[in-house]
Amino acid sequence: MPKKRRKKLIRLPKLNSKTNSEKRYERIGFSTGRRKSSRKRTAKRTNIIKNRIIALVSAAALFLVVVFVATSLSHPVGVVEYFKTVFTTGGSGQGYEIDIEGGKPQYTISQDDIYFVVNDSSVNCYNTNGKIIFERNHSYAKPVVKQSETRYLLYDQGEPELTVSTYSDKLYSVKFGHGIICADISDSGYFAVAAKADGYDSSVSVYNKKNKKVFEWFSSDETITSVSLLKNGKTLAVSTVKVENGNFVSHVYVFNYKSATPLMQRAYPDKIIYNLIESKNSGFFVVLDNKIEFLNFRKETAMTHESEYSVNLVKQFGDKTIALRSVAANQDHGIVEIYSRKGKLVSSFEVDNNITDFSYKSGKLYLLGHSNIFKYNTKGKLLAIADVNYDALFVEVISDNSIACIRSSVVEKCVLKKAED
């Protein structure tokens, strides 16, 4: 009987729970691998965005620090006070015309794009758009206002009290033992006050922006007539007068606050000094009857401008100091002089009108005559003209061809028209 043939078994390789194809699919599978790559790219983009945001924030912070430092250096009275002043000087109200109450205006003071009108019973401040910044009453017989970039001081000549205010608030009052002779305030908030003094003829005291006394100088036999501070408040000029052998002798002394010994002093025999005007931290203009002298205290030099014409009025506008001269015999003829901040005479021209006030802006002069306002360039060419009322007292510049005309009880806007060639 034939033997049965045995079936040969074929052993298959052992397989895991997943087939090779499944393993291959898992290894190179499209879906899972793409998710990992996408997460990496998303994370990378997120980091880039975060880094850019950090860089922008850092740059913005650095910019704010630079602005803060620059503003602090430019406006040493304080950044907060400066920006509060900028906001305040926007003013309120309808603009021109502005009714002025409290009596006839005595004088005006220009300060960039704002101006003060001081009358018998109030101190009023307006911007060039005719908006009211403030209108504050006073009870002084002889009110004197001195202004800076963010503050002004008010005192009654001969009385012992002085107040310092910002354009929005009163800061403090200072009382002295004797009547005040004169005072000045700087853009840094420093202010100087001259007054009579026990045991001396007079004295001058300098206070910082926090009302702390930083300097004092006493004069034994000379009466202080005017004081002036540089805009940064770091230097003081004092003018004095005394009688010597029957004649007047005036002096100017310039001080820093390290010593009572002056940095510079200059004598003016037979002269009376009418005013001291600082010039953009460069030095001081000394105003006499027929002479204007610029003192450079750092170099201890003087630049003199003398004329047969008397000095009637001197005003400062930015880096320009402007003087109006005339002769007593002919008030309808005068000379306008324009000085640089370092005391150089840069322009001079004649005008055939009785000029009672003037203003200046952007290289143009605006002169108030009997019944007209005249606009000139700095070379003396007549550019435009406007008629004004007979009671016009002062002028302030609004724009190139617009003027604020201050009359007895109103401030009105006047438009100039081109002058005929």
Side-chain angles (χ1 to χ4, degrees), residues 70-279:
T71 306
S72 299
L73 293 174
S74 302
H75 312 284
V77 76
V79 175
V80 173
E81 184 172 313
Y82 170 72
F83 282 110
K84 187 176 181 180
T85 300
V86 171
F87 176 78
T88 302
T89 52
S92 61
Q94 299 300 313
Y96 301 106
E97 293 181 345
I98 309 168
D99 292 326
I100 302 175
E101 297 181 358
K104 180 180 178 181
Q106 297 182 13
Y107 57 92
T108 62
I109 309 172
S110 299
Q111 173 70 27
D112 295 327
D113 291 328
I114 69 172
Y115 57 93
F116 291 78
V117 178
V118 182
N119 62 18
D120 297 331
S121 62
S122 63
V123 177
N124 312 301
C125 186
Y126 311 105
N127 65 23
T128 53
N129 293 320
K131 302 288 186 178
I132 299 170
I133 298 171
F134 65 79
E135 293 177 325
R136 295 174 185 162
N137 294 330
H138 68 77
S139 58
Y140 295 159
K142 300 177 182 178
V144 180
V145 174
K146 295 287 183 176
Q147 92 294 346
S148 69
E149 184 180 55
T150 61
R151 300 182 178 188
Y152 72 96
L153 58 81
L154 171 66
Y155 64 95
D156 193 356
Q157 198 167 33
E159 296 298 320
E161 186 177 15
L162 173 147
T163 61
V164 178
S165 306
T166 66
Y167 297 158
S168 56
D169 304 294
K170 179 180 175 181
L171 295 178
Y172 41 76
S173 297
V174 184
K175 288 189 176 181
F176 299 86
H178 299 276
I180 296 170
I181 301 171
C182 54
D184 193 28
I185 189 168
S186 72
D187 285 347
S188 66
Y190 278 60
F191 63 97
V193 184
K196 292 293 183 178
D198 292 331
Y200 296 88
D201 187 288
S202 50
S203 68
V204 60
S205 302
V206 179
Y207 299 79
N208 66 15
K209 65 181 181 181
K210 296 181 179 179
N211 194 25
K212 179 181 178 182
K213 187 184 292 186
V214 297
F215 179 74
E216 193 167 34
W217 181 74
F218 294 91
S219 175
S220 59
D221 61 346
E222 299 175 81
T223 300
I224 295 172
T225 56
S226 56
V227 294
S228 183
L229 288 165
L230 289 188
K231 293 295 184 188
N232 60 19
K234 295 180 179 179
T235 307
L236 167 73
V238 179
S239 69
T240 65
V241 66
K242 67 177 180 179
V243 177
E244 194 172 83
N245 299 323
N247 297 314
F248 287 114
V249 178
S250 296
H251 287 86
V252 171
Y253 302 96
V254 181
F255 301 94
N256 59 19
Y257 311 137
K258 298 177 182 178
S259 169
T261 301
L263 301 172
M264 180 182 182
Q265 67 181 66
R266 187 167 173 81
Y268 298 86
D270 301 322
K271 295 289 184 181
I272 294 177
I273 295 169
Y274 293 104
N275 203 0
L276 288 175
I277 301 173
E278 81 86 36
S279 184

Side-chain angles (χ1 to χ4, degrees), residues 388-402:
V388 294
N389 200 283
Y390 71 95
D391 65 344
L393 300 170
F394 308 103
V395 289
E396 296 291 340
V397 182
I398 298 174
S399 62
D400 190 53
N401 280 311
S402 298

